[in-house]
Amino acid sequence: MDLLFDAYYKPLVVWADTFLRDMNLAEDVVQDLFVSIWKDKVYLRFKPETLSSFLHVSVRNRCFKRIEKRDVFRNASVLDHVELVFEEYNERHDQLVSRVLEEMALLPERSREIMNCVFLEGLKYREVAERYGISVSTVKTLLGNSVKKLRERLNKELFSGFLLFYCRWR
């Protein structure tokens, strides 16, 4: 083992460093390899013609495992950023919905009821007309006027939020 270590340690550390780009980590990988060779008595099965390639392939594979582990933690910081952006989006979405609901509350009661029937319940104009005992053209007029008022009161972003919020339920 002493001869093996003396002959291969430094070249294997340099080999590991080409993958890891961290000399301390490369030394750890090579040391771990030699410890496992000693513990598991792998040295008893060495063949002179394959010894060098076995050691180099073993170091390479251990380096790849270390890189995979390191990448998991590197990506964790990216996920924190994504989570933060999602939280900001959620907060903004809640503000949009809240503002749209405030503006809808300012509409006349019948107009709000008709909007809820058409947009939330997905009723057809005829069904809404039958429910409230009014004509289909009155439903269309009330709905059109309500949407027009909301468009005037809300900026483009908020009105788009209204359309997304209500029309997705259909």
Side-chain angles (χ1 to χ4, degrees):
M1 279 302 294
D2 287 337
L3 287 174
L4 188 67
F5 186 84
D6 290 341
Y8 285 100
Y9 179 76
K10 287 181 183 177
L12 289 175
V13 169
V14 171
W15 174 245
D17 188 51
T18 61
F19 296 104
L20 301 172
R21 294 192 173 118
D22 180 346
M23 191 58 80
N24 291 328
L25 190 56
E27 288 176 350
D28 289 345
V29 166
V30 175
Q31 287 172 7
D32 289 345
L33 172 66
F34 278 106
V35 168
S36 71
I37 288 171
W38 179 255
K39 277 182 159 178
D40 299 336
K41 297 185 181 184
V42 175
Y43 59 87
L44 296 174
R45 295 175 287 195
F46 282 156
K47 296 179 184 172
E49 61 273 9
T50 61
L51 177 61
S52 180
S53 63
F54 169 79
L55 292 172
H56 282 85
V57 168
S58 296
V59 167
R60 183 197 64 196
N61 291 343
R62 286 172 180 258
C63 289
F64 287 159
K65 285 181 183 176
R66 289 284 177 110
I67 290 170
E68 286 175 9
K69 288 179 183 177
R70 186 170 52 191
D71 280 347
V72 168
F73 295 117
R74 184 179 305 152
N75 291 338
S77 66
V78 172
L79 292 177
D80 286 345
H81 177 71
V82 169
E83 190 172 300
L84 180 64
V85 170
F86 182 73
E87 286 174 13
E88 290 173 7
Y89 167 79
N90 254 359
E91 185 176 312
R92 182 71 181 139
H93 178 264
D94 292 345
Q95 291 171 352
L96 285 172
V97 169
S98 163
R99 178 79 163 94
V100 167
L101 292 175
E102 286 173 10
E103 287 300 325
M104 285 186 61
L106 297 176
L107 293 173
E109 184 178 349
R110 182 55 55 100
S111 296
R112 274 195 322 271
E113 290 171 347
I114 289 175
M115 287 186 74
N116 285 330
C117 287
V118 171
F119 290 120
L120 288 180
E121 295 179 39
L123 297 177
K124 298 184 184 324
Y125 294 162
R126 182 183 42 76
E127 295 169 329
V128 176
E130 289 173 4
R131 179 184 281 185
Y132 292 105
I134 56 177
S135 69
V136 173
S137 62
T138 302
V139 170
K140 289 180 184 179
T141 301
L142 288 172
L143 189 62
N145 289 341
S146 299
V147 170
K148 184 178 176 183
K149 285 180 186 175
L150 286 176
R151 185 180 293 139
E152 290 169 358
R153 292 183 192 162
L154 301 171
N155 63 29
K156 286 182 181 180
E157 182 184 16
L158 289 172
F159 188 72
S160 299
F162 155 75
L163 292 175
L164 288 173
F165 179 73
Y166 273 94
C167 296
R168 73 176 177 173
W169 299 108
R170 288 193 98 200

